[in-house]
Amino acid sequence: MSDAIKTYDSISELYASFGGKLEQDVDFTIHRNEELSPNYPVKSPLFRTSYYTVLILRQGRGRYLIDDQSYVTRDNTIFFSNPGHVKGFEVYETLQGYIITFSESFLKQYVHENIFDEFPFLIAEVAPPSYPEREIFQIFDDLGGLLLHEYQSDSAYKYKVIGCLTVVLLLKIKERFWKAYDPLTEALTSSDITLTFKRNLEAHFRDLLASKCDRLFQVQDYAQAQYLHPNYFSTVIKYKTGKSVNSWIAEKTIAEAKALLARSSESVQEIAFRLGFKNASHFSRFFKKHIGLSPLSFRQSLSSVSNPDP
């Protein structure tokens, strides 16, 4: 199914796929929902995005799909979604409100360099919509109006102001809907990105050892397998497992290398090639860095343990 699902890097690119046109010069947009889809009902194909979306829906009816979940959109809906998921939507009647999109790079440039520390819900994997009371919803509706006004302005401080208003928006989302969110707690219950990464890691090493692959996958390979930006993917794995992607790859590589050195009679060079290294010297340096012994010394130490001197 994933081969037929396109990933869009901006809402203008997504909208163009539906035959529309949106101007966009930075990785932030805000539009009135009622201006985007003149004809109803509307049903989108499935797609992925590499940006965040906040939907502030004052009025209207529809349905939003994310992975295998379906959520109702109705009056006074606030919906947040992050990159990477398979998405789709159905709109049954005119939507009124705002749709806001922004990228990780925009957040780091205009909001905060360590954005995930301040707003950990940005890596949440489960984000159902919220249906706040009208008084609470009005806060978000007003913020949408302020953001749109600034977005349409010619101010020299336009994006700095938008960055400040985005901070307020994220703080209000955190305060009202994600105050107690802890990515590590979510990881203990359900973390699709983490679980998929671990499965892909195991599958890749099976392919290496079966000579179905001749190179060791890096962060970008595992991120691409889930249609995620490498920075975002790395952040999710680090937050939810306590270890970086490179640490997972290194630990798995060392574990397989130890097993081959202990169980097989292959040379160090042959083992290096089986594990995706281009040359034995690179493998030896990598192994010694993590173990403190060269591969040959490690193998000899095993022999001395199993065959002690009389």
Side-chain angles (χ1 to χ4, degrees):
M1 179 180 71
S2 60
D3 291 339
I5 297 173
K6 183 170 175 54
T7 299
Y8 296 99
D9 294 325
S10 69
I11 193 173
S12 59
E13 185 181 336
L14 171 63
Y15 196 62
S17 72
F18 300 143
K21 184 178 180 181
L22 292 176
E23 299 297 329
Q24 182 173 350
D25 55 358
V26 297
D27 292 335
F28 177 96
T29 67
I30 177 169
H31 298 282
R32 295 184 188 276
N33 286 303
E34 50 266 41
E35 296 173 353
L36 297 184
S37 300
N39 301 313
Y40 298 95
V42 175
K43 182 177 181 179
S44 78
L46 295 177
F47 60 91
R48 298 178 194 267
T49 63
S50 61
Y51 53 84
Y52 297 91
T53 301
V54 178
L55 177 69
I56 301 173
L57 182 60
R58 186 183 317 112
Q59 184 178 326
R61 291 189 311 110
R63 190 164 67 102
Y64 198 89
L65 310 174
I66 183 162
D67 294 333
D68 58 348
Q69 300 295 316
S70 174
Y71 301 108
V72 172
T73 52
R74 53 177 174 78
D75 293 0
N76 297 354
T77 295
I78 296 175
F79 192 89
F80 161 82
S81 68
N82 57 20
H85 297 284
V86 176
K87 303 175 183 179
F89 59 83
E90 298 177 11
V91 181
Y92 308 139
E93 62 182 37
T94 302
L95 304 181
Q96 297 183 19
Y98 305 99
I99 182 168
I100 304 166
T101 72
F102 44 82
S103 68
E104 178 184 337
S105 60
F106 175 84
L107 293 176
K108 290 187 174 181
Q109 182 177 354
Y110 292 101
V111 177
H112 196 290
E113 183 178 353
N114 298 315
I115 191 70
F116 300 113
D117 291 336
E118 181 67 25
F119 303 108
F121 66 86
L122 289 173
I123 62 171
E125 294 189 51
V126 180
S130 299
Y131 311 102
E133 296 179 358
R134 181 64 198 179
E135 182 180 352
I136 300 301
F137 178 84
Q138 191 62 49
I139 296 172
F140 292 91
D141 203 7
D142 291 343
L143 276 170
L146 290 171
L147 279 164
L148 181 63
H149 175 77
E150 197 62 37
Y151 185 70
Q152 294 174 337
S153 78
D154 296 321
S155 169
Y157 304 103
K158 174 177 177 175
Y159 291 111
K160 288 187 176 181
V161 174
I162 286 175
C164 292
L165 289 172
T166 302
V167 171
V168 177
L169 176 65
L170 294 175
L171 284 170
K172 287 298 179 183
I173 291 174
K174 179 180 179 179
E175 176 187 36
R176 295 295 175 181
F177 314 123
W178 295 93
K179 190 173 184 179
Y181 176 74
D182 181 355
L184 290 175
T185 300
E186 184 186 59
L188 295 175
T189 56
S190 174
S191 179
D192 289 340
I193 292 176
T194 302
L195 292 174
T196 301
F197 164 59
K198 290 179 180 179
R199 286 196 294 266
N200 290 343
L201 185 68
E202 291 295 329
H204 173 57
F205 274 86
R206 285 199 300 271
D207 287 345
L208 279 175
L209 297 177
S211 300
K212 295 180 180 179
C213 184
D214 62 358
R215 69 180 184 87
L216 188 64
F217 280 5
Q218 304 300 316
V219 174
Q220 58 268 27
D221 298 300
Y222 290 105
Q224 185 177 23
Q226 297 195 55
Y227 301 91
L228 297 170
H229 189 283
N231 291 344
Y232 174 77
F233 172 72
S234 298
T235 301
V236 171
I237 299 302
K238 175 67 174 177
Y239 265 86
K240 297 194 174 188
T241 69
K243 294 190 297 187
S244 68
V245 177
N246 283 326
S247 292
W248 279 98
I249 295 171
E251 289 177 12
K252 181 63 176 174
T253 305
I254 291 298
E256 296 294 344
K258 283 181 173 181
L260 289 170
L261 288 165
R263 296 197 309 261
S264 78
S265 58
E266 293 175 299
S267 68
V268 170
Q269 181 172 345
E270 289 172 326
I271 291 173
F273 290 159
R274 286 192 67 183
L275 291 174
F277 289 85
K278 297 301 182 183
N279 56 70
S281 60
H282 182 199
F283 169 66
S284 295
R285 289 194 299 271
F286 173 85
F287 192 90
K288 187 171 185 178
K289 174 184 175 182
H290 290 275
I291 301 302
L293 296 171
S294 69
L296 187 58
S297 296
F298 176 79
R299 175 174 270 173
Q300 291 171 343
S301 70
L302 294 177
S303 298
S304 64
V305 170
S306 57
N307 299 295
D309 292 334

